[in-house]
Amino acid sequence: MYFGYQRSVDYCRDVATIAFKHPAVVSGDIEVFVLPTLPVLPEAARILGQANVGTGAQDIFWEDEGAYTGEVGGKTVAELGGRYVEVGHAERRRIFAEDDRVIGLKTAAAYRNGLTPVLCVGELNAGSPEEAVAHCTAEIDAALNRAATLGPTNRTIVAYEPQWAIGAPEPATPDYISAVVRGLDEHLRSLPGQENSRVIYGGSAGPGLITELDTAVAGLFLGRFAHDPQALKTILDETAARLAADKAVAA
């Protein structure tokens, strides 16, 4: 959830308009996806797909079909045009009591249906970066190890969202984010089949943040700050400039 149906559709149109004009999105240098409320997904896929922007769901059930009234499986999300699915968000863990077992099953369902899981991890309380890395690698391992027992795994996007930073006035500090994500990125990409996986940061992320982060932070998982399309455009511009600077250094 977040927006209602019509506002979500209007938002997707705004994002598509920005993406159509943005060279780094058109070229594929920046991977952009939007996860709207589920009833919007078919229209979102139609609108955003033309602009090289992916879309998907905020949740799935762990079975693909069957007598599970009210649930939606990954097979249906894929049929509706979804390419991504969010798994293990802090609100799902807190409000719906989803544990490592459930998150592992849903991660497996994502792989099984050709969806890229956006696996959310994050510590409950602020502490040291080392403590955060230990907590989050345990969450990653729990999900991926469970999924690996049920079928082939594939590329994963890990969204590092410290729970104490979600909805806060400010994100975690750039040094803290960079230190944690470096640890998570090294661990994630050392796992079998995860060489192309990436770690992004969420939790009150907004304009100005990506330029202050280590390059191990592959991108941002945006919440309320992306509701303003102009803020999204600013973040895309900042990300493109960062990519260009990295290429210049590597040349």
Side-chain angles (χ1 to χ4, degrees):
M1 289 181 65
Y2 210 95
F3 295 154
Y5 182 87
Q6 191 55 53
R7 188 174 176 191
S8 295
V9 170
D10 292 343
Y11 178 75
C12 289
R13 290 194 179 107
D14 289 340
V15 172
T17 298
I18 292 169
F20 264 128
K21 299 176 183 176
H22 205 288
V25 179
V26 172
S27 68
D29 286 343
I30 297 178
E31 178 181 5
V32 181
F33 58 87
V34 177
L35 305 179
T37 188
L38 187 66
V40 180
L41 180 54
E43 186 66 359
R46 186 187 68 79
I47 295 169
L48 295 169
Q50 301 172 60
N52 202 26
V53 175
T55 188
Q58 298 175 1
D59 185 41
I60 52 171
F61 190 57
W62 59 76
E63 296 288 350
D64 297 337
E65 295 177 321
Y68 305 100
T69 302
E71 296 292 345
V72 177
K75 180 179 179 181
T76 301
V77 170
E79 288 174 335
L80 294 175
R83 292 163 43 199
Y84 303 82
V85 64
E86 191 172 358
V87 177
H89 189 274
E91 290 158 3
R92 300 291 313 181
R93 296 176 189 261
R94 184 181 74 251
I95 300 172
F96 299 98
E98 293 192 356
D99 57 14
D100 288 342
R101 173 185 167 275
V102 168
I103 293 165
L105 291 171
K106 291 187 173 186
T107 302
Y111 293 136
R112 185 170 64 243
N113 288 288
L115 303 170
T116 299
V118 182
L119 175 62
C120 300
V121 300
E123 72 280 14
L124 181 60
N125 299 307
S128 71
E130 292 77 14
E131 291 170 331
V133 170
H135 178 92
C136 296
T137 53
E139 290 186 331
I140 292 169
D141 288 349
L144 299 192
N145 289 342
R146 177 61 174 160
T149 67
L150 300 171
T153 61
N154 210 325
R155 179 176 182 253
T156 307
I157 296 175
V158 168
Y160 169 55
E161 292 193 297
Q163 295 186 41
W164 52 270
I166 297 173
E170 299 290 338
T173 66
D175 286 348
Y176 185 94
I177 296 168
S178 296
V180 176
V181 172
R182 276 197 301 270
L184 300 184
D185 179 68
E186 181 179 349
H187 177 75
L188 175 65
R189 292 207 275 167
S190 71
L191 300 175
Q194 298 297 324
E195 296 83 0
N196 295 320
S197 296
R198 292 292 183 271
V199 183
I200 59 178
Y201 172 77
S204 302
L209 181 61
I210 192 71
T211 59
E212 300 184 56
L213 300 178
D214 188 277
T215 55
V217 186
L220 298 178
F221 192 41
L222 300 167
R224 67 185 190 278
F225 286 106
H227 296 168
D228 174 4
Q230 189 55 47
L232 175 62
K233 181 181 182 304
T234 298
I235 293 167
L236 290 174
D237 290 344
E238 292 170 348
T239 305
R242 182 192 194 221
L243 287 171
D246 291 344
K247 288 181 179 178
V249 170

